[in-house]
Amino acid sequence: MKLRSIELALPDPAGAAAWMVDVWGLYPAEVRGQTHYLRGTGTMPYLVAFEQSDAEFVRSTTFTCSDAELAAIKARVADKGWAAKPVTSTDPGEGAGLLVELPEGTLLRFLAGSTEVETIEGFSKASKRVSPVKLTHVVFNSADAELLGHAVEDVLDFRVSDRTKGMVFVRCNDSHHSTAFARAGFASLNHVAFEMDDLDAVMRGIGWMRDNGFAPAWGPGRHGPGDNVYAYYIAPFGPVIEYSTAVEKVPEDYRTGEPDDWTWPEQRIDQWGISDKDFAGLRVAEERFRCRRDWEPAPL
């Protein structure tokens, strides 16, 4: 199974898409109706969709899977009685599967038969610009992160990789986490992380963002769980987005870490001990995009 994309609704999709292309480094994929699709340099047909809406919300986060994986998820979702709906995708890459609403309202979409695309060459170093490759993880805030961690293990066959005082990290393949649930006390989108080619690309991305008047809201630094390098920003249209690279690959028998495994000396919030964080600004941004179900459940 792979994390593919996130689908967001907001009042100005064209403006959001323009900023993500001109500044963040994505590439136009398609425009279908009033929905703008943006891709990275990797094989996914798009990473972010911006759909026209009067309100801001998360429509879905999409995973691609095999027919067998989809059938197993469908059976467990039906048995659990979660709100769900069979769907045929009209987005680039197509595919068919189901939309699922998790206990706190988080909306995930699982598609089988979705196609991928040829890779493209990113910006050269001489341009000073950077190009994300794909999504590496999408993290959600939660009122009860433990509940969701157990729920996605039991029903979606995901696996909890680590628990910290702040988050429950969850994987769907050998990448340490493709999603996580933050212990926030409310349910919403926490952030969207974009995989970069390497550490150099993350650092050059920070430089390019500074050239455009944007300082990191958190970072640069290196996380404990997942071991990935990061730099977080608050996009001008609302959500928190991240340049990241080298999330740890873990074996099937990886021992699930507990909060006491991930502690730092006082005043340190990452492995390197150099990271600053705009706690207040990030908190406001993390509350903006909630998941919204605008469909009725249907038999699977």
Side-chain angles (χ1 to χ4, degrees):
M1 189 180 301
K2 299 178 183 177
L3 171 66
R4 187 186 77 179
S5 56
I6 185 167
E7 293 77 36
L8 299 177
L10 69 173
D12 184 13
W19 187 87
M20 291 294 284
V21 170
D22 295 341
V23 180
W24 193 247
L26 294 181
Y27 297 86
E30 293 187 42
V31 178
R32 296 187 178 183
Q34 296 186 8
T35 301
H36 293 250
Y37 298 91
L38 307 179
R39 64 167 294 178
T41 61
T43 62
M44 294 303 176
Y46 74 95
L47 308 183
V48 181
F50 294 123
E51 176 183 326
Q52 175 70 49
S53 172
D54 291 338
E56 300 172 339
F57 63 95
V58 181
R59 181 170 294 284
S60 56
T61 298
T62 300
F63 294 80
T64 60
C65 57
S66 67
D67 290 332
E69 288 171 326
L70 179 62
I73 290 171
K74 185 181 296 186
R76 290 191 296 265
V77 167
D79 182 66
K80 197 70 172 179
W82 284 2
K85 174 187 177 182
V87 292
T88 298
S89 174
T90 58
D91 301 315
E94 281 67 47
L98 70 157
L99 275 162
V100 179
E101 184 179 47
L102 273 57
E104 291 185 355
T106 303
L107 298 172
L108 304 183
R109 182 173 61 160
F110 298 91
L111 297 177
S114 181
T115 59
E116 298 188 359
V117 295
E118 294 294 325
T119 61
I120 58 176
E121 187 173 347
F123 296 104
S124 68
K125 286 188 177 182
S127 74
K128 299 183 180 180
R129 299 201 60 186
V130 294
S131 307
V133 179
K134 61 180 182 178
L135 293 189
T136 182
H137 50 270
V138 175
V139 172
F140 296 96
N141 291 311
S142 173
D144 189 339
E146 288 297 334
L147 169 69
L148 290 186
H150 289 300
V152 298
E153 282 195 318
D154 294 342
V155 180
L156 304 180
D157 202 30
F158 287 13
R159 288 292 174 264
V160 172
S161 297
D162 277 293
R163 292 179 171 89
T164 69
K165 292 179 180 179
M167 287 194 180
V168 176
F169 293 85
V170 180
R171 68 185 186 273
C172 66
N173 50 45
D174 66 349
S175 183
H176 178 273
H177 58 284
S178 48
T179 189
F181 303 109
R183 306 179 195 275
F186 56 89
S188 67
L189 176 65
N190 183 281
H191 72 274
V192 181
F194 294 82
E195 178 74 22
M196 309 302 287
D197 283 318
D198 51 28
L199 172 59
D200 182 69
V202 172
M203 299 308 290
R204 288 191 297 111
I206 294 171
W208 173 253
M209 292 292 285
R210 288 191 184 278
D211 290 344
N212 284 273
F214 295 91
W218 184 15
R222 184 184 287 277
H223 285 309
D227 201 38
N228 49 305
V229 175
Y230 64 84
Y232 292 79
Y233 293 86
I234 300 171
F237 54 92
V240 180
I241 52 179
E242 175 192 359
Y243 286 142
S244 183
T245 196
V247 173
E248 181 182 7
K249 301 294 184 182
V250 299
E252 289 189 11
D253 61 353
Y254 180 82
R255 183 186 69 83
T256 302
E258 297 299 331
D260 286 346
D261 296 322
W262 302 106
T263 59
W264 307 115
E266 189 175 355
Q267 305 302 320
R268 178 177 291 220
I269 53 176
D270 76 309
Q271 286 196 58
W272 292 339
I274 63 170
S275 189
D276 291 324
K277 185 174 183 179
D278 178 4
F279 287 94
L282 287 167
R283 174 79 176 195
V284 171
E286 290 168 4
E287 291 192 39
R288 282 185 62 164
F289 281 80
R290 311 283 175 134
C291 290
R292 176 186 296 181
R293 174 163 64 85
D294 57 0
W295 44 269
E296 291 301 317
L300 300 182

